[in-house]
Amino acid sequence: MSIRAGTQLLGCSRSFVNVSLGRKLSTRLRWSSSSARQWSTPLAKTIGDAISATGPISVAAYMRQCLTSPDGGYYTSLTDGKDQFGQKGDFITSPEISQIFGELLGIWLVTEWMVQGKISNGVEVIEVGPGRGTLMDDMLRTISNFKPLASSIESVYLVEASPALREAQKQLLCEDASLDEIDIGFRSTSKYSRLPITWCEDIRFVPNDLSKSPFIFAHEFFDALPIHAFQSVPPNPNEAIQTLDTPMGSLPLSKLTSQSKQPQWRELVVTPTPPPSNITISTSSTIAKPTPDFQLSLSKASTPNSLLLPTLSQRYKALLSNPGSVIEVSPESHSYVAEFARRIGGSAITSTTKPSSPSKGQPTPEPTSKSTPSGAAMILDYGPANTIPTSTLRGIRSHKPVSPFTDPGLVDISVDVDFMALTEAALAASPAIEVHGPVEQGFWLESMGIRERGEMLCRGLDKTDGQEVEEAKRRVRGAIERLIERGGDGMGRIYKALAIVPERGGKRPVGFGGDVD
């Protein structure tokens, strides 16, 4: 997909439906009452003012503001008690569809714990981006049935930046237990096995003890992490040397180099859309769609990001020679998955100096070697299995696709996850881990026994009285089919599972073609 300077990127929803941003004209004249720009939300005005002051911003900066700004961000601001999740929200996630999803992740943790010798103590359960806490609730309920594992769990950590979501998670997981502020965040006690639960704003604040065994879960987390977007542009054969006229004559400000004769990466940046015309002429009785506040434009010159990020992988370099190629790079995703890998397998020793103790409220210093790699990470998200995502920025509101540049702060924004980039970053971060997958969610769930678990639930319903039993069975089976559907844009196909485990000679984890011996 080629994008010219000033061109607007079309958005699509989590269901991967492209939408047109064309405007429908109203049946009456519309007059502007003020020469000042009218923004759709206060956050849009904040972003617009920043661009006016400092120039276009990266897609990553735009996403970060829209999703996590303390002043109107989608996840960090509570708007009239609005819940982003579920039928009444903007989208539905797999744990909201069926309790079996979270139960099977709990079972997967049990299998990894068994494969690693039934670790007797120091087990940590960590989830990044826990949503409403539904997934962790189903996992902990399941784990509580395996007493040896439950007793080996030292703590549960939830990495959550939103105060509103943190409160929802606390109510679900801890009910009436007190919530106490501590140096790294907040702490309460789970209703399951009385496990301590700690909330941190960033995984760097989660204590990193090499003697612990962290089991880390990330469900629909990486799709919300900011990306930078770049497009390959051909060399300009008419490029001239820029000069400055002085009393002494013209002085060159730059010179042509061999690099300027080769294709180059240009960053796609966010700029305001042109202000609407004062008069709109009517041709239709349909109410006009709002004009997006912002658009994607192609940077006219190289940026620091375009000079660095596309050089991080041979996968990106291979596309440079194809003008018009678009790539999406998420350094924050690479950083997170590298942190997962280091916590599981340790990293190469880079210094003989022992890390100092963290100051209050400061990130934990990174350890180096880990004598016995342990723990695991499970990533479930959507994106291509082995290609680079291109032009996937999308918005969704009330279960409908909208422009990601409309109503900033009120629209969920997401992108496809680059699973191969996650794999590269994890393997580079630790020499003592393996990465398995990605595999399709439908394959993973069926390998974990989702159908068998569904039939168990249905048999349990047979023991109840009432005429709604058959309808309840239909809902159970329908939810399963929705999660594993592999046709078209079915969740079982577009969602993928990726596992990071300690190095063990390629032995596959359960759900990825392996089993428990």
Side-chain angles (χ1 to χ4, degrees):
M1 175 180 175
S2 176
I3 302 180
R4 298 182 300 276
T7 300
Q8 184 172 309
L9 182 70
L10 301 185
C12 59
S13 76
R14 288 178 181 259
S15 58
F16 304 85
V17 180
N18 291 327
V19 295
S20 170
L21 302 181
R23 301 182 62 196
K24 295 182 179 179
L25 301 179
S26 67
T27 58
R28 61 185 185 278
L29 296 179
R30 296 175 56 203
W31 299 84
S32 174
S33 59
S34 171
S35 60
R37 173 92 185 228
Q38 299 298 310
W39 300 98
S40 61
T41 64
L43 182 58
K45 183 179 184 304
T46 299
I47 296 172
D49 289 346
I51 293 175
S52 297
T54 63
I57 61 175
S58 65
V59 177
Y62 177 78
M63 289 182 67
R64 190 174 292 111
Q65 285 294 307
C66 289
L67 296 178
T68 60
S69 169
D71 301 316
Y74 181 78
Y75 286 109
T76 48
S77 300
L78 187 61
T79 306
D80 297 327
K82 178 178 173 59
D83 189 347
Q84 297 95 339
F85 306 89
Q87 292 287 354
K88 296 182 180 180
D90 293 319
F91 55 87
I92 299 178
T93 61
S94 296
E96 310 288 338
I97 294 174
S98 174
Q99 70 181 64
I100 304 177
F101 186 85
E103 291 173 348
L104 294 182
L105 279 170
I107 293 296
W108 188 81
L109 193 161
V110 173
T111 64
E112 271 302 304
W113 173 75
M114 294 173 64
V115 167
Q116 296 180 35
K118 300 182 180 180
I119 305 164
S120 60
N121 57 69
V123 171
E124 298 173 337
V125 181
I126 303 172
E127 184 181 3
V128 293
R132 289 194 299 196
T134 306
L135 177 62
M136 183 57 70
D137 186 65
D138 291 333
M139 287 179 58
L140 292 181
R141 186 184 65 254
T142 302
I143 292 170
S144 67
N145 295 315
F146 297 86
K147 302 303 181 185
L149 170 57
S151 64
S152 72
I153 297 176
E154 183 175 288
S155 187
V156 175
Y157 292 94
L158 300 180
V159 178
E160 180 57 71
S162 167
L165 288 176
R166 181 178 65 227
E167 178 60 26
Q169 295 154 14
K170 186 268 175 186
Q171 291 299 325
L172 177 62
L173 297 171
C174 306
E175 296 180 337
D176 296 331
S178 64
L179 181 66
D180 304 315
E181 188 170 3
I182 59 176
D183 58 343
I184 60 173
F186 296 85
R187 179 168 293 166
S188 189
T189 304
S190 169
K191 62 187 179 182
Y192 299 111
S193 306
R194 304 294 298 170
L195 293 172
I197 298 183
T198 301
W199 282 265
C200 302
E201 290 190 358
D202 191 287
I203 195 170
R204 293 173 299 171
F205 291 98
V206 176
N208 193 353
D209 187 334
L210 294 175
S211 67
K212 308 302 181 185
S213 300
F215 290 85
I216 308 169
F217 295 86
H219 176 256
E220 288 203 50
F221 171 75
F222 285 93
D223 66 285
L225 294 185
I227 63 159
H228 292 267
F230 306 97
Q231 180 176 317
S232 174
V233 298
N236 183 2
N238 300 318
E239 184 176 0
I241 298 177
Q242 296 179 341
T243 61
L244 176 66
D245 292 330
T246 72
M248 303 298 293
S250 296
L251 298 177
L253 294 178
S254 63
K255 62 181 180 179
L256 297 179
T257 64
S258 59
Q259 184 179 10
S260 64
K261 300 178 182 179
Q262 304 295 326
Q264 297 181 30
W265 291 110
R266 289 285 187 268
E267 187 163 11
L268 292 164
V269 293
V270 177
T271 59
T273 53
S277 171
N278 285 347
I279 301 179
T280 302
I281 301 176
S282 166
T283 60
S284 170
S285 60
T286 305
I287 297 176
K289 287 185 178 180
T291 300
D293 295 286
F294 303 98
Q295 63 186 3
L296 276 187
S297 301
L298 190 63
S299 176
K300 296 180 180 179
S302 297
T303 63
N305 291 322
S306 69
L307 293 173
L308 173 63
L309 297 181
T311 68
L312 297 179
S313 171
Q314 290 296 331
R315 300 166 66 234
Y316 307 145
K317 295 178 182 179
L319 294 174
L320 177 60
S321 60
N322 300 323
S325 298
V326 176
I327 61 173
E328 295 174 352
V329 185
S330 176
E332 198 165 330
S333 295
H334 303 171
S335 177
Y336 256 94
V337 78
E339 180 70 13
F340 293 178
R342 286 190 291 264
R343 286 174 180 264
I344 296 166
S347 56
I349 298 178
T350 57
S351 172
T352 57
T353 303
K354 183 178 180 180
S356 59
S357 299
S359 302
K360 181 177 180 180
Q362 296 300 313
T364 304
E366 177 186 323
T368 51
S369 64
K370 187 172 183 177
S371 58
T372 304
S374 61
M378 171 65 79
I379 298 169
L380 291 129
D381 226 310
Y382 50 80
N386 51 23
T387 58
I388 301 171
T390 62
S391 306
T392 67
L393 186 68
R394 61 177 67 84
I396 187 169
R397 189 176 186 185
S398 299
H399 304 277
K400 297 179 180 179
V402 298
S403 165
F405 300 112
T406 300
D407 296 326
L410 301 180
V411 171
D412 178 44
I413 298 177
S414 64
V415 293
D416 280 6
V417 174
D418 187 344
F419 283 98
M420 288 297 98
L422 296 186
T423 298
E424 288 182 349
L427 292 173
S430 175
I433 58 98
E434 296 177 350
V435 179
H436 295 267
V439 298
E440 292 181 350
Q441 175 175 288
F443 172 86
W444 186 83
L445 289 172
E446 291 197 278
S447 299
M448 292 298 300
I450 189 172
R451 292 187 184 277
E452 291 80 0
R453 174 56 178 158
E455 290 309 309
M456 287 179 62
L457 290 179
C458 289
R459 287 195 295 272
L461 292 171
D462 286 332
K463 300 176 183 178
T464 62
D465 296 327
Q467 299 179 352
E468 298 181 354
V469 171
E470 291 304 316
E471 175 61 20
K473 290 182 180 180
R474 186 191 66 79
R475 289 196 298 269
V476 169
R477 291 168 178 149
I480 291 172
E481 292 304 319
R482 183 175 179 183
L483 291 174
I484 65 175
E485 171 58 42
R486 290 170 161 179
D489 290 336
M491 296 182 72
R493 185 182 72 85
I494 61 176
Y495 283 79
K496 310 293 191 305
L498 185 80
I500 303 173
V501 297
E503 198 283 324
R504 54 196 185 204
K507 177 179 169 59
R508 296 180 180 180
V510 172
F512 294 83
D515 54 24
V516 179
D517 292 334

